[in-house]
Amino acid sequence: MPESYVPKEAIGHGDGGSAALAIGEAESLERRPGAAPPGGGPGGEPLGKPRSLWSDAWHDLYRNPVFVVSALVIVFLVIIAIWPQLIAGGNPYRADLAKAQQGSQPGHPFGFDTQGRDVYTRVVYGARASITVGVCATTGAALLGSLLGGLAGFFGGWWDTSLSRLADIFFGIPVILGGLVFLSVVTSTTVWPVVGFIVLLGWPQISRIARGSVVAAKQNDYVQAARALGAGNGRMLLRHIAPNAIAPVIVVATIALGTYIALEATLSYLGAGLKPPTVSWGIDISTASTYIRSAPHMLLWPAGALSVTVLAFIMLGDAVRDALDPKLR
């Protein structure tokens, strides 16, 4: 028979120690030989600390095939956005009118566009503009929206009321119409005017999410205890509220990233977003739409790349939402 397990609490004098010793003897008889004591891990070691929300989320994410596939696609897109020459050795601006609108050829799997430029090379280089706009716009909108929404939810009062009314004004602006009006007067060929416009109209959505999360988090007992112990507003925001209110913002921002990439392509298609000579999927789709009957390959490849990119970010956002939402566990 295995050696009886006697917990430390049983070592003592009087009736309490005897009763605890008897309970320990009964538990040892019920356990299989070699089993760990109650509350212990294999071999009798004490169990480690319980996992946090973030460790639980990561544990669920890397087991989720949707997250794994979408993350691999996004990593690949980021790599080719930074180093497109790794898989496309040509020049996206090089034109040969003798090959205009021709289909697939050896060394040119996607064919040529109306100016004889290699469609494959332009699709690869077009990822840079779309990923840059999506990441920069999402980062800017998330930082601005989280800051304003978090402060409004924490302090309340006139600050909260003013921010809510300001957000309502921006919510009332049609995105496409606003982009056509705002960007039509911009002559820059860089991505920054488009990024600035998306941030300008994107922060209200994230600010509302951040405000609601902060309002819910500041009602918790640990925040009230920190306030009673004399913690300042900055410490409560950074140490107690922000770590517990940031999860919904991350989910919304991840899904919004794919939406912003699609918005950039839409504005570029309409002629108000990115402008030549910038290589962009939206610009190439706009050029190819006129020749969809005679040269459909000019439209299908950049449109397919755009669809895969947007879908990958939306799938990633859904996976992150499922992992961070305790109600879905």
Side-chain angles (χ1 to χ4, degrees), residues 3 13 45 48 96 141 144 163 177 179 195 215 259 272 276 287 293 296 302:
E3 182 179 356
H13 303 283
E45 299 87 353
D96 185 357
L144 181 60
L163 180 70
L177 181 59
V195 171
V215 169
T259 305
T287 303
R293 291 180 179 270

Side-chain angles (χ1 to χ4, degrees), residues 226 230-243:
N233 292 333
R235 181 179 179 84
M236 284 192 294
L237 272 171
L238 297 178
R239 293 290 302 274
H240 301 290
I241 295 179

Side-chain angles (χ1 to χ4, degrees), residues 16 35 137 147 166 184 251 293:
L147 177 63
L166 180 63
S184 61
V251 173
R293 291 180 179 270

Side-chain angles (χ1 to χ4, degrees), residues 109-259:
F110 294 177
F112 300 88
D113 64 5
T114 56
Q115 300 182 33
R117 298 172 299 190
D118 184 26
V119 175
Y120 171 76
T121 304
R122 292 187 64 82
V123 168
V124 173
Y125 275 81
R128 173 176 295 178
S130 296
I131 297 297
T132 301
V133 169
V135 172
C136 293
T138 302
T139 302
L143 291 177
L144 181 60
S146 299
L147 177 63
L148 297 179
L151 293 176
F154 183 77
F155 292 106
W158 67 269
W159 175 262
D160 187 14
T161 302
S162 301
L163 180 70
S164 298
R165 300 293 78 77
L166 180 63
D168 290 339
I169 294 174
F170 282 96
F171 272 120
I173 301 176
V175 177
I176 302 299
L177 181 59
L180 292 175
V181 173
F182 178 81
L183 296 174
S184 61
V185 298
V186 177
T187 59
S188 174
T189 59
T190 64
V191 301
W192 303 117
V194 180
V195 171
F197 168 74
I198 295 177
V199 171
L200 185 64
L201 293 189
W203 71 265
Q205 178 188 15
I206 296 182
S207 71
R208 286 193 171 184
I209 301 297
R211 176 191 174 279
S213 299
V214 169
V215 169
K218 75 175 184 179
Q219 305 298 328
N220 292 328
D221 293 338
Y222 58 84
V223 177
Q224 302 300 327
R227 187 187 298 274
L229 292 174
N233 292 333
R235 181 179 179 84
M236 284 192 294
L237 272 171
L238 297 178
R239 293 290 302 274
H240 301 290
I241 295 179
N244 296 280
I246 197 66
V249 175
I250 293 176
V251 173
V252 173
T254 306
I255 297 176
L257 202 158
T259 305

Side-chain angles (χ1 to χ4, degrees), residues 73-101:
V73 173
I74 291 172
V75 169
F76 173 74
L77 290 170
V78 171
I79 290 175
I80 67 172
I82 300 174
W83 301 289
Q85 62 275 11
L86 292 178
I87 63 172
N91 187 338
Y93 302 106
R94 182 179 180 181
D96 185 357
L97 292 177
K99 298 180 179 180
Q101 301 186 34

